[in-house]
Amino acid sequence: MPKINAERLLSNLRRFAQFGAYKTGVHRPTYSREDTDSRRWLAQQYEAIGLQAHIDGVGNVFGSPRSDRRLLLIGSHAESQNYAGWLDGALGVTYGLEIARTFAETPDCAGLPVAPVAWADEEGHYVSMLGSRSFIGDIDEAEIDRAVNVDHGLTLREALRGAGLAGVPRSLLEPERYVGYLEAHIEQGDALEASSKRIGVVTSIVGTRQYSIVFHGIQNHAGTTRMAIRRDAGVAATMLAMSIAKRFPEVAGPRSVWTTGRVTLEPGAPNIIPGRAEMLFQFRDSEMPTLERLDLTLRELVEETAIKTGCRAEIERTESGRPWHMDPAFQEAIENAAARHAPGAHVRMPSGASHDAQVVGCKLRAAMLFVPSIGGISHHWTENTDDVDLVLGCQVLADAAETILRGEYM
Amino acid sequence: MPKINAERLLSNLRRFAQFGAYKTGVHRPTYSREDTDSRRWLAQQYEAIGLQAHIDGVGNVFGSPRSDRRLLLIGSHAESQNYAGWLDGALGVTYGLEIARTFAETPDCAGLPVAPVAWADEEGHYVSMLGSRSFIGDIDEAEIDRAVNVDHGLTLREALRGAGLAGVPRSLLEPERYVGYLEAHIEQGDALEASSKRIGVVTSIVGTRQYSIVFHGIQNHAGTTRMAIRRDAGVAATMLAMSIAKRFPEVAGPRSVWTTGRVTLEPGAPNIIPGRAEMLFQFRDSEMPTLERLDLTLRELVEETAIKTGCRAEIERTESGRPWHMDPAFQEAIENAAARHAPGAHVRMPSGASHDAQVVGCKLRAAMLFVPSIGGISHHWTENTDDVDLVLGCQVLADAAETILRGEYM
């Protein structure tokens, strides 16, 4: 059995967190100086363990073993959300590096080809899952031409040029070269912690539906316009949010979640009645019928609110990810490894978050492993996981990789 | 009786609207190039009718008659809200110019000293009512040092330097030099239009209470955090807004108004549960007991919401304008003039908006006249008033100025 080097793993995780260090977390947006530096550092690490390192035209970092056998991809994404946690995608990236190195150093495993990978922009600073989508051939040049940074409006083309990637070809998956894909990630919720489990074997990734909902009212003076004649777009948005809070629990599944992440009232002055209100709203579930039911309910509520308030409404679906189920044999490999290293402390669970695994999983067999998030916190600089769980997760994934590469679950 | 020149008045209003023309309105923020140009143009007009023109250290433009008699100030503010209407403050400024010129040209009135004035930054791009507050001695250098533009963060000191006003002294009111102050303004509501009236005689200006209300929740991942354990600051803000919508009508006065002008959810990403939500909220009424009752109710609702949602709440009052009542004799002068020129088409009414008159009125006798706003629209580039009403308003104010200056209401 391959035995990972716990100290080296933790040391690399901490080294990686220095790229864009912010409080106890990191601020490492895609193609920022810090992100680009971290990808170059990673390529050097891949080279140092005898892999062929390559950064492709969207910043994906590949470490390719010199082997005729089919490869097992192991990784995640390297960038972070803004001012967010030090683990998140960096965890899976560092696991990939550690497992490749462990295999290279373990005589019995040296012939089992692990190909570590770090995807670009899973977090969607420009395009969600850009790197993995590019790899499976799911993005064209026109979409790259159009993309701009969601925070500061720099175009993706300019960002790629700034990162030294202009003109560099994008690597395209050749499915026959790979056995499959494994990804580790922090849970980003509190289910493991709340049930005293240490390893989550991911069964499925929920589908996300995201919407921009706009109400058009009548902009006017907040002092001189009588309450009776107002058409306040902000009031319409508030009414919709309350209707959602009341109706969604009646039609949602037991694990459905929904969130209003942003509200923009225009013009946004305290003494002007908002003439326009935009809500960014999303919900998630692992079952298609539930997603469809919630979509229908949302559209009904938007229409009801428009009628009640006299504010014209527009609803646009901006994201329609389908729920996606993990490869059963790979799940079993992870579960058996977890049972060896943490008997009774592992559990099968869906992922509430989106991951590159659902993209790569369209073309390759794929599975995921979760480690606990302390307090369920993620996408925040206080995100953390106990060191012993960080080490355990990597060891379990290494064992699963071995059994998969030995062909025991083919 | 002084007879104003209707064509000249309308032509000057249209000329003034060229400074920062935007669609059918204007974009003329305080101390912008367009605002500064408009003030210089105004000073030239004052000079051209034989007044001593003077732009003081905060951009107030004064036209002083060479007279030993006590002066009647007539004016309003020259700048506009962002991308807003062509009339608003420019109406009263242009009335002041027209009335001064009419008096100068009318042999019978030539000895009645009208002093036109254009205040700076009533709209609060830097400091609400900056010009009139400076004039009555209600602002100190430290407040000017601290002030920054609400949209782009330029300091007031830098803006004044850019407008060529660095080192220019601020003019201070000598109360004994003035009979009082008259201000005309568009109504900014639909009360006149709805009741087919053409002149509003303002009885009082409502008091405004403005608040920043902040809820602190727990920022987390929108996909992985179960609904049951969330502390969503945005949900708390929504609940407060709905509680206000339900409770305020029960404790408000018949003319109270309330508005949420801005909601900021942080970090503002669609896939992150907001950890912080800020609402800018205000209400207005002309009666102190009503204002106090609404203040108390708001604080109760904020506390209830914090308890219900588990989100810590902070409430800060950022503006506490008192209701302010107009000079009764001046009101009578305006009403009698309106009765002569538009019998049956005038009405006494409170102002729902704040105006420089409430500041100047702390030191001088003061009153205001309203003309109708078409569709009740203001603070928007579609703001407008019928030409015949623009002319009527100026003629009524000229007549009222004459009777006041002749001492009939002293």
Side-chain angles (χ1 to χ4, degrees), chain B residues 15-38:
Chain B
R15 172 68 190 92
F16 210 76
Q18 287 171 20
F19 294 105
Y22 170 76
K23 298 188 181 178
T24 63
V26 295
H27 177 62
R28 198 168 58 228
T30 321
Y31 311 129
S32 64
R33 175 65 171 275
E34 295 73 19
D35 178 59
T36 303
D37 287 350
S38 79

Side-chain angles (χ1 to χ4, degrees), chain A residues 49-318:
Chain A
I49 58 176
L51 302 170
Q52 240 179 331
H54 172 62
I55 302 181
D56 87 344
V58 291
N60 291 328
V61 192
F62 297 94
S64 305
R66 292 166 179 85
S67 171
D68 296 335
R69 299 181 60 172
R70 291 197 301 153
L71 316 177
L72 180 63
L73 276 168
I74 305 182
S76 187
H77 60 94
E79 79 287 343
S80 78
Q81 287 261 358
N82 293 332
Y83 308 102
W86 70 298
L87 296 168
D88 206 290
L91 177 90
V93 167
T94 314
Y95 276 17
L97 171 63
E98 177 58 31
I99 294 171
R101 192 158 169 185
T102 300
F103 276 40
E105 292 171 350
T106 308
D108 188 36
C109 297
L112 302 176
V114 168
V117 63
W119 309 112
D121 209 28
E122 189 266 354
E123 298 290 9
H125 293 276
Y126 295 86
V127 177
S128 286
M129 318 268 177
L130 172 62
S132 49
R133 285 184 55 206
S134 168
F135 184 60
I136 69 160
D138 182 41
I139 193 162
D140 59 20
E141 295 297 310
E143 185 171 351
I144 293 177
D145 286 340
R146 282 194 306 273
V148 295
N149 188 289
V150 294
D151 292 313
H152 51 65
L154 189 75
T155 67
L156 176 52
R157 289 288 182 206
E158 289 167 322
L160 290 171
R161 195 173 310 123
L165 298 172
V168 176
R170 295 190 279 124
S171 297
L172 260 181
L173 170 68
E174 299 164 53
E176 64 284 0
R177 282 194 61 205
Y178 296 93
V179 175
Y181 173 64
L182 292 180
E183 181 169 358
H185 208 278
I186 55 166
E187 180 201 343
Q188 306 183 269
D190 73 331
L192 290 174
E193 188 180 73
S195 57
S196 300
K197 303 292 183 188
R198 299 177 61 200
I199 296 287
V201 182
V202 179
T203 54
S204 60
I205 296 180
V206 300
T208 301
R209 296 282 169 92
Q210 194 161 299
Y211 303 82
S212 159
I213 302 163
V214 176
F215 288 101
H216 299 272
I218 296 178
Q219 179 178 324
N220 217 329
H221 191 289
T224 56
T225 313
R226 292 177 291 130
M227 297 308 288
I229 64 157
R230 294 183 174 204
R231 287 197 190 171
D232 184 327
V235 168
T238 299
M239 280 187 59
L240 175 63
M242 286 310 288
S243 307
I244 290 170
K246 187 159 172 288
R247 286 276 293 282
F248 263 45
E250 300 165 6
V251 292
R255 283 178 177 273
S256 303
V257 289
W258 54 93
T259 307
T260 300
R262 189 185 302 176
V263 174
T264 309
L265 305 185
E266 290 183 12
N271 56 344
I272 305 183
I273 301 166
R276 184 178 185 277
E278 179 173 12
M279 292 168 64
L280 296 190
F281 179 72
Q282 66 161 228
F283 55 80
R284 308 187 190 210
D285 199 89
S286 59
E287 303 307 322
M288 272 302 276
T290 306
L291 290 173
E292 294 300 342
R293 209 161 56 234
L294 292 174
D295 180 273
L296 203 68
T297 302
L298 178 65
R299 289 173 192 279
E300 286 170 6
L301 294 177
V302 168
E303 202 172 325
E304 280 176 27
T305 306
I307 291 168
K308 271 190 212 160
T309 60
C311 293
R312 184 167 63 81
E314 291 170 317
I315 174 166
E316 186 195 354
R317 194 153 91 189
T318 55

Side-chain angles (χ1 to χ4, degrees), chain B residues 215 236 239-240 243-244 246-247 296-311 313:
Chain B
F215 288 101
M239 280 187 59
L240 175 62
S243 307
I244 289 170
K246 188 161 173 287
R247 286 275 294 281
L296 203 67
T297 303
L298 178 65
R299 290 173 190 278
E300 285 170 7
L301 294 176
V302 168
E303 202 172 326
E304 281 175 27
T305 306
I307 291 167
K308 270 189 213 163
T309 60
C311 294

Side-chain angles (χ1 to χ4, degrees), chain A residues 81 187-190 194 210 219-227 229-230 232 238-239 241-242 256-263 265 268-274 280 282 284 352-353 375-380, chain B residues 81 187-190 194 210 219-227 229-230 232 238-239 241-242 256-263 265 268-274 280 282 284 352-353 375-380:
Chain A
Q81 287 261 358
E187 180 201 343
Q188 306 183 269
D190 73 331
Q210 194 161 299
Q219 179 178 324
N220 217 329
H221 191 289
T224 56
T225 313
R226 292 177 291 130
M227 297 308 288
I229 64 157
R230 294 183 174 204
D232 184 327
T238 299
M239 280 187 59
M242 286 310 288
S256 303
V257 289
W258 54 93
T259 307
T260 300
R262 189 185 302 176
V263 174
L265 305 185
N271 56 344
I272 305 183
I273 301 166
L280 296 190
Q282 66 161 228
R284 308 187 190 210
I377 293 166
S378 82
H379 285 184
H380 190 271
Chain B
Q81 286 262 356
E187 181 202 341
Q188 307 184 269
D190 73 332
Q210 194 161 299
Q219 179 178 324
N220 216 329
H221 191 289
T224 55
T225 314
R226 291 177 292 128
M227 297 308 288
I229 64 157
R230 294 184 175 205
D232 184 327
T238 299
M239 280 187 59
M242 286 310 289
S256 303
V257 289
W258 55 93
T259 308
T260 301
R262 190 185 300 177
V263 174
L265 304 185
N271 54 344
I272 304 183
I273 300 165
L280 295 190
Q282 66 161 229
R284 308 188 189 208
I377 292 166
S378 83
H379 284 184
H380 191 271

